[in-house]
Amino acid sequence: MIMLAGGSRISYHLRECDHCFFGLGLGFYSTRIIQLSFASPPNSSSSTPITPATHHLPRRSKSTSSPSCHRIQSKSPGEFPTLSSCFSQQEEDHELPSKGLSPVSGGIVALGKFDALHIGHRELAIEAAKVGPPFLLSFVGMAEILGWELRAPIVAKCDRKRILSSWAPYCRNIAPAEFQMEFSSVRHLTPRQFVEKLSKELGVRGVVVGENYRFGYRAAGDALKLVRLCEEYGMGAYVIESVMDKNQYARNMNSSDSKERGQVSSTRVRRALAVGDMRYVSELLGRKHRLILMAKDQEGLTHNRSRVSIPKSCLLNLAPKEGLYEKCSIFIADEKLVPCKVVIDTTSIHVEMDEVDSSNIVGNQDFHFFRIEFGD
């Protein structure tokens, strides 16, 4: 059980998210999928849009093959090299690994913590896709091992594949795949041992990281060390500049963070959700925030002709601040768009509609999935 702002909880559904959506194709035939599209509260104070910073990596032309292999060479101590071209295969050669190899064998992995799947994370995937099959490699179980407070995810686990699929147009029409490792399996590895694991055990061809990336036991390695170690193990390494948030309003909201350098981050997304600024959330994510709820049977659902109330215990990810969100829309199973309003209070998510009887949405299904999108 995970506590949310306001004392509400993320229930056991969070752990069963994959299972329940997998079940949509295998047995929950009476399930009805519902999508809600939300507008921001009218008093949103976001201003200047977010723009990515200039990359360390130069843009590559769409040639039919990769350049000949050039090992990474740093120009001087403390200075990052530019694009590594340590790949001899054609960029379009995205064959799946042979039987017995790791799922990321032959791929280019972006390293990081991908909680929000925001535009900075997308930029890592874009760079990875330029030279090979793109993967996001992250670690699970960090909070439990390191004693961090458990928090509701920004993106519901069962919604991550959809978001990564939406990145395909940016990534040479390839949807990045996720690969997760248990943090316990790498926690005590030195930087060298970690890179060796990537090379020899996982068989990756290259890595992509942000300029502030740290790795190895007690974060002993930085991006420059990663570049040098990858060179030793014959892997390509890419270091890109952070995608910066130029939103003036956001600078004030995040000024108390000692690690704050102005980059787009999952922390910024959480803070924007906490104040209910959905326009700013959309800028950080590069998409509308989607809230997903799952109710089993009639689990706490109440409804009358024009209103459906869903308890927060059904939440699978982080909800925005309590309040009223007008000019919303609800998508029912046949993709019909219906105007609605949404009210979030300390216990429930309330959906109010004028054009559709709520009984047509709730019905008598065994499982109810509600998808809420908050617009600009």
Side-chain angles (χ1 to χ4, degrees):
M1 200 74 77
I2 297 175
M3 297 299 295
L4 287 172
S8 56
R9 293 177 172 84
I10 287 284
S11 70
Y12 67 92
H13 299 308
L14 226 159
R15 298 192 300 273
E16 298 183 348
C17 187
D18 271 350
H19 168 73
C20 69
F21 267 73
F22 179 69
L24 284 174
L26 295 179
F28 301 151
Y29 298 109
S30 62
T31 299
R32 187 170 298 181
I33 302 295
I34 301 172
Q35 299 184 16
L36 304 178
S37 181
F38 285 69
S40 296
N43 61 346
S44 176
S45 53
S46 295
S47 54
T48 310
I50 300 164
T51 56
T54 305
H55 293 272
H56 286 298
L57 302 179
R59 298 292 181 183
R60 292 157 56 101
S61 60
K62 295 183 179 179
S63 58
T64 57
S65 62
S66 299
S68 58
C69 179
H70 297 291
R71 293 294 177 89
I72 302 171
Q73 298 293 337
S74 58
K75 297 178 182 179
S76 61
E79 183 178 357
F80 291 122
T82 55
L83 178 67
S84 165
S85 303
C86 245
F87 305 95
S88 57
Q89 297 183 5
Q90 290 190 349
E91 293 179 7
E92 289 76 12
D93 183 11
H94 295 152
E95 296 181 1
L96 294 176
S98 302
K99 185 177 180 180
L101 297 180
S102 80
V104 296
S105 180
I108 313 301
V109 297
L111 301 173
K113 292 185 291 185
F114 300 102
D115 181 17
L117 293 178
H118 55 60
I119 58 175
H121 296 149
R122 186 178 68 190
E123 199 65 29
L124 293 174
I126 290 172
E127 296 302 330
K130 290 178 179 179
V131 289
F135 293 88
L136 304 185
L137 192 156
S138 58
F139 306 99
V140 294
M142 292 183 69
E144 293 83 351
I145 291 176
L146 298 178
W148 295 348
E149 178 186 0
L150 293 176
R151 299 186 296 181
I154 294 172
V155 178
K157 187 176 181 181
C158 48
D159 197 34
R160 295 177 70 86
K161 187 174 181 179
R162 174 192 67 87
I163 295 170
L164 294 177
S165 296
S166 74
W167 290 2
Y170 301 91
C171 299
R172 302 174 63 84
N173 293 318
I174 303 171
E178 283 201 286
F179 181 73
Q180 294 184 327
M181 300 177 62
E182 289 292 335
F183 179 64
S184 59
S185 69
V186 299
R187 180 187 183 186
H188 295 291
L189 296 184
T190 65
R192 177 175 293 278
Q193 289 171 331
F194 177 69
V195 172
E196 183 175 353
K197 186 179 184 73
L198 293 178
S199 174
K200 295 185 177 181
E201 183 177 327
L202 300 182
V204 303
R205 288 200 295 132
V207 298
V208 180
V209 298
E211 59 187 340
N212 299 318
Y213 183 72
R214 309 286 306 190
F215 70 106
Y217 185 55
R218 294 187 175 177
D222 59 11
L224 180 59
K225 190 173 187 68
L226 180 66
V227 166
R228 291 171 176 168
L229 288 171
C230 284
E231 179 182 7
E232 290 186 32
Y233 284 89
M235 296 162 54
Y238 301 73
V239 177
I240 69 171
E241 290 182 352
S242 301
V243 176
M244 305 305 290
D245 179 2
K246 297 185 178 180
N247 194 309
Q248 187 65 43
Y249 158 71
R251 293 178 186 174
N252 297 328
M253 187 172 68
N254 295 279
S255 59
S256 61
D257 189 345
S258 61
K259 297 181 180 179
E260 181 60 45
R261 298 183 181 90
Q263 70 275 17
V264 172
S265 67
S266 296
T267 298
R268 283 181 175 240
V269 177
R270 288 184 179 277
R271 289 176 177 169
L273 285 169
V275 298
D277 189 343
M278 304 314 297
R279 180 174 301 163
Y280 180 37
V281 171
S282 295
E283 291 174 1
L284 292 168
L285 296 178
R287 64 180 186 276
K288 297 176 182 179
H289 179 59
R290 180 172 291 194
L291 188 65
I292 296 185
L293 304 93
M294 186 192 77
K296 184 178 180 180
D297 298 323
Q298 295 292 323
E299 182 186 352
L301 293 178
T302 60
H303 64 95
N304 54 33
R305 188 180 184 283
S306 61
R307 180 183 175 104
V308 177
S309 297
I310 313 157
K312 280 187 171 180
S313 60
C314 296
L315 283 168
L316 299 183
N317 62 317
L318 186 61
K321 176 186 178 181
E322 296 165 10
L324 169 65
Y325 297 86
E326 299 197 57
K327 297 181 180 178
C328 304
S329 300
I330 181 169
F331 292 87
I332 55 180
D334 59 359
E335 298 300 318
K336 181 179 179 181
L337 181 66
V338 178
C340 67
K341 295 187 296 185
V342 171
V343 177
I344 301 178
D345 62 26
T346 57
T347 62
S348 302
I349 312 292
H350 308 280
V351 181
E352 300 177 358
M353 299 159 289
D354 293 329
E355 298 181 11
V356 173
D357 190 325
S358 67
S359 61
N360 293 328
I361 295 175
V362 176
N364 297 308
Q365 292 81 25
D366 293 332
F367 285 85
H368 306 273
F369 295 94
F370 300 89
R371 303 182 185 186
I372 301 172
E373 287 190 346
F374 295 78
D376 298 337

